[in-house]
Amino acid sequence: MTAQALLRRATGLSVSKTVAERAVGQRMEQTGFSDSVAYLQALTPAEMTQLIELVVVPESWLFRDPQAFYATVGLVQERWARGRATRILSIPCAGGEEPYSMAMALRDGGVPKQAFSIDAYDLSPGCIERAQAGVYGRNAFRAQDVGFRERYFTHVADDAYRIIDALREQVTFRQGNLLQFDTATYSRHYDVIFCRNLLIYFDKPTTRAAIHNLSALLADDGMLLAGYAEVPSFCQNGFTTLQFRQAFALKKETAPPASPVQVAPLPALRTLCSVPPAPRRAAALAAPIAPMALRTRPTAVPSPAPAAQADLLAEARLLADRGQLREAGEKCHAHLARVPEAAEAYFMLGIINELAGKMDLADDYWRRCIYLQPDHYEALCHLSLLAERNGNHTAAATLKARAARIYQRRQASN
């Protein structure tokens, strides 16, 4: 079995061949192996853990997307008023930023500690170790208002701050994989689940399996908080949205909707953005996928039969799913030669170039996509994630809000 397949089986993440082989090479240097086949045959559980650490790069910050925390505070307050404690799950929790943010928000909301419990899981043992330590540097404090740092952290060294023990004790951290979670023991156990920006690294079958497990873990009257790019996947697999502005909150469906929201699915190969937990970016291909010259809005041109158009894009998706990125790009360009205004082809070229590590080209293609189709939800989500990764939080927030409005309009019209 290849390194790529082994990592995918162990984590569920769509790790590129380049990323997997680079990680194997690094571990071979550190363990003294000279042959990759021999190294893979000798893999122990402990060594697999070390290999996984090289392809999982967590990055998060405190009070990221704060509306999700505020929505949860309201739910916990309401349930505690009825004498009911709330069980909260954060998975994946990266370095602990999300569950600690939840604990701080609840403290700020006057919620007593006996009113809630927080469990936090991550695939990476290194992440769990850092979360348990509770020490954070400057990058963790990216929120507009960082007054919480004065209330809940102590300065320990240079730009490092440690969360107070009273809040560290409110969170239980464990190493674990959502896809291997004991859903029988924890059936309907959690009232609130945070699972944000994980599904974007999964293919469709793995996404369905992950959502199935989350549904099994969530109480029937519970609330799930997702990443904004993941809401359509949840809605296609048994969830429906809750009306909390910018929280991206969902609940289980009590019955199948009469008219489900129709959102074009993403390619099986997911974008690799730097959000928890994220595989390292694929190395650039030997030759770049050349961008097409930006046009003004195209005039009408004769189009081939719709079936022929769809076939080219379908072939491109299939090739991308197989990891044949260059060939997939060629199919997209062939489609654009026939239909220059095809926004979906530009969207796919963005995905392909992002997977190839060519972020500038990915950004260019997605911007062409929304120029041609301003309400392309998935392209707006990817542009927002990219802006966030690049530290342009104002642009990210604008794009995210725009995507949210589009999704809400779609939902209202169905």
Side-chain angles (χ1 to χ4, degrees):
M1 186 177 292
T2 66
Q4 185 182 18
L6 284 169
L7 284 164
R8 181 166 182 158
R9 186 174 69 177
T11 67
L13 300 173
S14 295
V15 179
S16 73
K17 180 180 179 182
T18 302
V19 170
E21 290 178 348
R22 184 188 301 126
V24 167
Q26 292 176 8
R27 287 305 300 167
M28 286 172 59
E29 290 181 7
Q30 296 169 9
T31 55
F33 279 87
S34 58
D35 180 73
S36 60
V37 174
Y39 169 79
L40 294 175
Q41 289 176 342
L43 268 182
T44 63
E47 179 57 26
M48 175 59 81
T49 297
Q50 294 298 318
L51 189 61
I52 290 170
E53 287 289 308
L54 293 177
V55 300
V56 176
V57 183
E59 182 187 1
S60 191
W61 55 91
L62 296 155
F63 284 100
R64 181 182 186 184
D65 294 329
Q67 295 300 328
F69 303 111
Y70 303 150
T72 303
V73 169
L75 181 146
V76 176
Q77 289 173 330
E78 184 271 333
R79 295 192 179 202
W80 185 243
R82 295 188 282 114
R84 177 178 170 183
T86 301
R87 296 167 173 166
I88 301 170
L89 172 66
S90 171
I91 184 168
C93 67
E97 295 89 345
E98 182 174 83
Y100 283 142
S101 296
M102 191 66 258
M104 286 186 280
L106 288 165
R107 177 71 68 92
D108 284 342
V111 178
K113 64 180 182 180
Q114 63 268 29
F116 66 96
S117 62
I118 303 176
D119 292 339
Y121 288 79
D122 199 275
L123 178 68
S124 164
C127 283
I128 296 301
E129 184 178 349
R130 290 191 292 276
Q132 289 172 332
V135 178
Y136 300 97
R138 180 184 302 173
N139 286 339
F141 299 94
R142 303 185 199 174
Q144 291 183 342
D145 179 5
V146 294
F148 63 87
R149 188 169 63 189
E150 300 302 319
R151 297 193 297 273
Y152 300 119
F153 287 82
T154 56
H155 185 225
V156 292
D158 296 331
D159 290 328
Y161 297 82
R162 186 174 186 267
I163 197 163
I164 61 174
D165 289 342
L167 287 183
R168 287 200 310 130
E169 293 166 0
Q170 285 289 114
V171 184
T172 301
F173 291 100
R174 298 186 182 92
Q175 191 272 336
N177 187 338
L178 172 60
L179 297 172
Q180 300 168 1
F181 212 98
D182 184 0
T183 55
T185 300
Y186 291 90
S187 176
R188 299 178 175 85
H189 183 77
Y190 292 103
D191 303 289
V192 177
I193 297 178
F194 283 79
C195 186
R196 304 193 294 175
N197 303 312
L198 173 64
L199 304 188
I200 57 175
Y201 305 116
F202 291 159
D203 61 16
K204 292 177 187 176
T206 310
T207 294
R208 287 194 294 270
I211 293 175
H212 177 271
N213 282 3
L214 290 167
S215 181
L217 294 170
L218 185 65
D220 289 339
D221 62 347
M223 179 172 69
L224 185 142
L225 289 310
Y228 54 91
E230 300 164 327
V231 171
S233 294
F234 279 101
C235 288
Q236 292 162 4
N237 289 278
F239 282 79
T240 187
T241 55
L242 291 167
Q243 296 305 311
F244 291 105
R245 185 175 179 273
Q246 296 292 305
F248 307 102
L250 304 107
K251 66 175 182 178
K252 293 182 185 180
E253 288 182 337
T254 55
S259 302
V261 176
Q262 297 298 319
V263 179
L266 298 177
L269 287 171
R270 299 286 175 168
T271 176
L272 309 183
C273 295
S274 298
V275 290
R280 294 187 188 274
R281 295 198 173 280
L285 299 178
I289 301 171
M292 296 180 69
L294 183 60
R295 298 179 174 87
T296 57
R297 288 196 183 273
T299 55
V301 294
S303 298
Q309 299 175 31
D311 286 348
L312 278 172
L313 288 183
E315 290 173 24
R317 287 183 182 277
L318 182 60
L319 289 165
D321 288 350
R322 293 173 177 170
Q324 297 172 258
L325 302 184
R326 182 173 301 284
E327 293 85 351
E330 289 171 354
K331 292 291 183 182
C332 289
H333 284 302
H335 182 75
L336 286 166
R338 299 180 180 183
V339 190
E341 71 276 23
E344 189 64 21
Y346 282 116
F347 172 69
M348 290 182 62
L349 282 168
I351 293 287
I352 291 164
N353 278 279
E354 185 177 30
L355 290 170
K358 304 181 189 335
M359 304 312 300
D360 289 343
L361 286 179
D363 180 86
D364 180 60
Y365 282 124
W366 286 328
R367 290 190 182 280
R368 298 176 194 211
C369 174
I370 64 172
Y371 174 77
L372 292 164
Q373 186 181 331
D375 65 346
H376 197 292
Y377 176 82
E378 291 85 359
L380 287 165
C381 288
H382 282 275
L383 281 169
S384 176
L385 287 168
L386 184 55
E388 195 171 78
R389 184 190 75 102
N390 291 335
N392 192 344
H393 303 303
T394 300
T398 300
L399 289 160
K400 187 186 303 183
R402 187 172 160 187
R405 289 194 298 270
I406 290 166
Y407 183 77
Q408 288 165 2
R409 286 201 301 269
R410 289 184 182 183
Q411 186 182 33
S413 65
N414 284 277

